[in-house]
Amino acid sequence: MTALTLDGKYVAQLTERDLAKRVETLKSVSAGKTPILATILVGDDPASATYVRMKGNACRRVGMESMAVELPATIKTNDLLREIDSLNHNPDVHGILLQHPVPSHIDERAAFDMIALEKDVDGVTCLGFGRMSMGEPAYGCATPQGIMRLLAHYDIDLSGQHAVVVGRSPILGKPMAMMMLQENATVTICHSRTRDLEAHIARADVLVGAVGRPEFIRADWVKDGAVVVDAGYHPGGVGDVELGPLLARASAVTPVPGGVGPMTINTLIQQTVASGEKALLKD
Ligand code: NAP
């Protein structure tokens, strides 16, 4: 068996063409206005700065604008909350991205939850998570939502499948598990206290690696024919799963890079366009 490549880069490029048309249509009916994504970068972590730059570039590729808000690493939680609230009240801003992680003295959860639901295009608020989990409308958390879109593009049906998600972070593992549950998978969530992790992984029809450790999930733990989604990215172009041997045994795999990463950014942009459409077409 040769595993199908779940090509996130390709799906993202395909979607960008559609998004560019939607932005163009919006401009034509709203006196040239485009959706605007406000990106908030706190401090000067080079990796975070790169991610924010990539998100701004993705906005420009579809013809919309981004507003870069750069704040000092020393900012206090209350001052960050005030900045976010002013973006909530700015009618020109349709989506707000707070780049994770923020410096450790800041209450990141309070900052995420300050984002107004209708501008939470990165899907990081507790309210958005709760609504999504209950099957109510909300923007999905960008990385897991991007994974769901990628699986849907390749017609991978989760209904009745046993999905195993390794990782339970608020921005990845937990929303991933709830999204797969919504699609009628039977979901097991594993984490650092899980006993006999290998036995859980061995039962996965669909495996999501979201651990944050290079090639932590060994190929020989994964059963033949599984769908393998690797959310990790580490220097040297490796993910959280040892993918090499799985290319001949899995039914589908996400490449690293070029799988989950492009879908994350693409989902953020897609949700900002949707938010812009709601606001601008209402005027
Ligand atoms: P995180 O916040 O560090 O969470 C890691 C999770 O892995 C935690 O839930 C942790 O369990 C679990 N874990 C750690 N060691 C484990 C072990 N020995 N056995 C089982 N579980 C273990 O990381 P994250 O933000 O979710 O990111 C996960 C990965 O996805 C990283 O590689 C990151 O780079 C990548 N990522 C990619 C994108 C993208 O756009 N491509 C976006 C976000 C993240 P506990 O909860 O018990 O500590």
Side-chain angles (χ1 to χ4, degrees):
M1 178 186 285
T2 304
L4 173 70
T5 300
L6 305 178
D7 189 343
K9 195 170 169 199
Y10 166 75
V11 177
Q13 281 170 351
L14 209 62
T15 311
E16 280 189 358
R17 276 186 241 156
D18 170 58
L19 292 177
K21 283 188 208 141
R22 284 166 62 181
V23 171
E24 201 49 48
T25 305
L26 261 186
K27 280 169 80 174
S28 67
V29 297
S30 65
K33 286 187 180 172
T34 79
I36 296 182
L37 173 69
T39 61
I40 307 173
L41 175 65
V42 183
D44 47 17
D45 173 63
S48 293
T50 301
Y51 285 130
V52 167
R53 213 171 24 252
M54 286 165 73
K55 289 163 186 175
N57 290 342
C59 287
R60 280 180 284 285
R61 282 200 300 275
V62 302
M64 64 182 228
E65 293 169 44
S66 63
M67 178 195 285
V69 178
E70 292 176 6
L71 300 169
T74 50
I75 194 169
K76 294 195 171 68
T77 298
N78 275 344
D79 294 327
L80 175 58
L81 297 185
R82 263 191 290 279
E83 290 282 347
I84 295 171
D85 204 35
S86 85
L87 295 171
N88 284 339
H89 288 95
N90 182 341
D92 292 331
V93 169
H94 305 101
I96 300 172
L97 164 95
L98 173 62
Q99 184 62 43
H100 161 86
V102 294
S104 58
H105 68 276
I106 293 173
D107 183 343
E108 184 177 77
R109 176 42 51 202
F112 278 154
D113 283 335
M114 193 69 195
I115 299 171
L117 182 69
E118 68 275 13
K119 298 191 182 188
D120 180 22
V121 292
D122 202 27
V124 291
T125 60
C126 285
L127 182 56
F129 174 83
R131 289 181 61 82
M132 177 275 290
S133 302
M134 291 296 176
E136 297 296 327
Y139 296 115
C141 191
T143 302
Q145 185 69 41
I147 291 170
M148 295 301 282
R149 291 178 50 223
L150 188 60
L151 295 173
H153 178 88
Y154 286 96
D155 290 327
I156 293 174
D157 182 9
L158 295 175
S159 183
Q161 302 284 322
H162 184 188
V164 175
V165 180
V166 189
R168 58 171 168 178
S169 72
I171 60 155
L172 220 171
K174 277 183 190 153
M176 182 82 266
M178 296 313 291
M179 286 175 192
M180 290 182 146
L181 183 64
Q182 285 292 330
E183 290 302 315
N184 301 313
T186 301
V187 183
T188 299
I189 308 173
C190 301
H191 47 80
S192 65
R193 311 285 174 89
T194 296
R195 276 189 297 221
D196 207 359
L197 178 67
E198 294 178 38
H200 289 291
I201 290 175
R203 285 192 288 273
D205 300 314
V206 181
L207 173 69
V208 180
V211 193
R213 296 186 186 194
E215 298 198 330
F216 171 79
I217 297 173
R218 309 310 300 175
D220 61 8
W221 299 352
V222 181
K223 76 176 179 189
D224 288 356
V227 172
V228 180
V229 175
D230 190 345
Y233 180 73
H234 305 278
V238 294
D240 290 352
V241 184
E242 184 196 13
L243 286 176
L246 290 170
L247 299 177
R249 281 205 300 113
S251 64
V253 298
T254 57
V256 178
V260 173
M263 292 304 294
T264 298
I265 295 183
N266 187 253
T267 299
L268 174 74
I269 305 303
Q270 189 192 48
Q271 296 188 146
T272 306
V273 171
S275 173
E277 285 170 340
K278 273 189 205 145
L280 294 171
L281 297 178
K282 180 178 78 176
D283 295 343

